[in-house]
Amino acid sequence: MRDGFFYHIGHTMLGFLDYMGKLTLFFLEACRTLPHPPWFFREIIIQMYQLGVKTVSLVAVASLALGLVLAMQMVSVLAMFGAKDYVATSVAFTFFRDMGPLLAGIMLASRGGAGIGAELGSMRVTSQIDALTVSAVSPMKYLVVTRIAACMLIMPLLTIIANLIGILGGMIIGLIQVGMSFDYYYSLTVKYLSLRDVLPGVFKTIIFGLIIGTVAGFQGYTTTQGTFGVGQSTKSSVVVSILLILVSDVFLTKLILLLFPV
């Protein structure tokens, strides 16, 4: 029966596999253009500003709020074991290992991914991409590769900001609610941290930036159905990017734990 449960499950899975196949081929096509000049470094810098610098305020507010909430929750749990002071170490580990990269990725996908999808979608339905092709400019390299590169380059910087401000939020709770001194909180924050706690998180951000740039570029570049399609591309850029970031984080976390065991 065409309206059966298993039919719908199978149809959904086939649609997902078809989408991922097209997305992979799109990414490989973008990679194929890399060895050949020009490389449009100026456009990459412009996109880093548009995508990254204008997202800093969102990352800062979200990180501060999350750091405050996370510290308040951890204090209540650690108090049961008489270890409230270690809220500093717990917040630092949580942000550097996973929360910072995830938060920065979601914020960039929400603002930057939506912007890429809308911009490229509008250019597609108004034939501006076709005009670039006629002008002997590779739209794939000029519009897509530059945005993927910008996302990959700006994500580590956004993550560092998210980590630092998240730790600041935890420090506020540590100073006010727990009664710790600034020097004591700082010493517990850096005492147990090492490069193997910081670098894997930075590696994650590069993958997250790759996902955001590729998905948003694909959705915008393949837009159809006029202005309605632009809206769909914008929505899909955000939803698919965040979903793939969350799924990939599971596998990346497992890989990191295998390579850098605790």
Side-chain angles (χ1 to χ4, degrees):
M1 296 178 60
R2 294 182 62 85
D3 57 347
F5 173 76
F6 291 105
Y7 170 81
H8 289 293
I9 293 294
H11 183 73
T12 302
M13 290 299 298
L14 288 175
F16 173 75
L17 292 175
D18 179 66
Y19 176 85
M20 292 303 297
K22 292 178 179 177
L23 184 65
T24 302
L25 291 175
F26 180 82
F27 172 69
L28 293 176
E29 176 65 20
C31 292
R32 188 184 64 83
T33 66
L34 281 178
H36 312 289
W39 290 287
F40 303 110
F41 293 116
R42 178 180 174 84
E43 181 66 16
I44 293 176
I45 295 173
I46 293 174
Q47 291 303 319
M48 288 178 65
Y49 173 78
Q50 294 294 334
L51 298 172
V53 175
K54 294 187 176 181
T55 309
V56 169
S57 58
L58 298 177
V59 172
V61 173
S63 300
L64 181 62
L66 190 58
L68 291 169
V69 172
L70 192 63
M72 285 188 286
Q73 294 286 0
M74 285 183 172
V75 166
S76 62
V77 174
L78 292 172
M80 295 187 294
F81 304 96
K84 290 193 296 184
D85 291 354
Y86 285 92
V87 65
T89 307
S90 301
V91 171
F93 274 138
T94 302
F95 267 91
F96 274 104
R97 287 186 173 183
D98 202 67
M99 195 61 67
L102 266 182
L103 185 62
I106 291 173
M107 290 295 104
L108 183 60
S110 301
R111 188 191 180 281
I116 293 174
E119 183 182 11
L120 297 190
S122 299
M123 296 181 70
R124 170 60 74 184
V125 300
T126 57
S127 301
Q128 295 182 54
I129 293 180
D130 297 329
L132 283 174
T133 304
V134 173
S135 302
V137 176
S138 171
M140 178 65 71
K141 175 170 284 190
Y142 183 72
L143 298 176
V144 176
V145 174
T146 54
R147 284 158 177 78
I148 293 175
C151 289
M152 294 176 67
L153 291 172
I154 203 66
M155 268 297 297
L157 301 178
L158 291 176
T159 301
I160 291 173
I161 293 173
N163 291 338
L164 294 178
I165 296 183
I167 291 174
L168 175 62
M171 180 178 291
I172 292 174
I173 298 301
L175 298 182
I176 296 176
Q177 187 171 330
V178 183
M180 302 168 65
S181 67
F182 172 83
D183 291 337
Y184 186 46
Y185 191 98
Y186 174 79
S187 65
L188 285 180
T189 298
V190 301
K191 181 178 181 179
Y192 299 102
L193 280 177
S194 62
L195 285 179
R196 72 175 187 176
D197 300 310
V198 177
L199 295 182
V202 175
F203 169 74
K204 279 186 181 181
T205 64
I206 298 174
I207 304 299
F208 293 165
L210 175 64
I211 291 173
I212 295 168
T214 303
V215 171
F218 173 75
Q219 293 294 154
Y221 198 82
T222 58
T223 298
T224 56
Q225 299 179 320
T227 54
F228 173 78
V230 174
Q232 293 299 108
S233 297
T234 304
K235 178 181 68 177
S236 298
S237 298
V238 177
V239 174
V240 177
S241 294
I242 292 177
L243 180 62
L244 291 181
I245 285 173
L246 293 174
V247 172
S248 65
D249 186 53
V250 176
F251 297 98
L252 290 172
T253 299
K254 182 61 178 177
L255 177 62
I256 288 170
L257 289 176
L258 289 175
L259 296 176
F260 303 96
V262 178

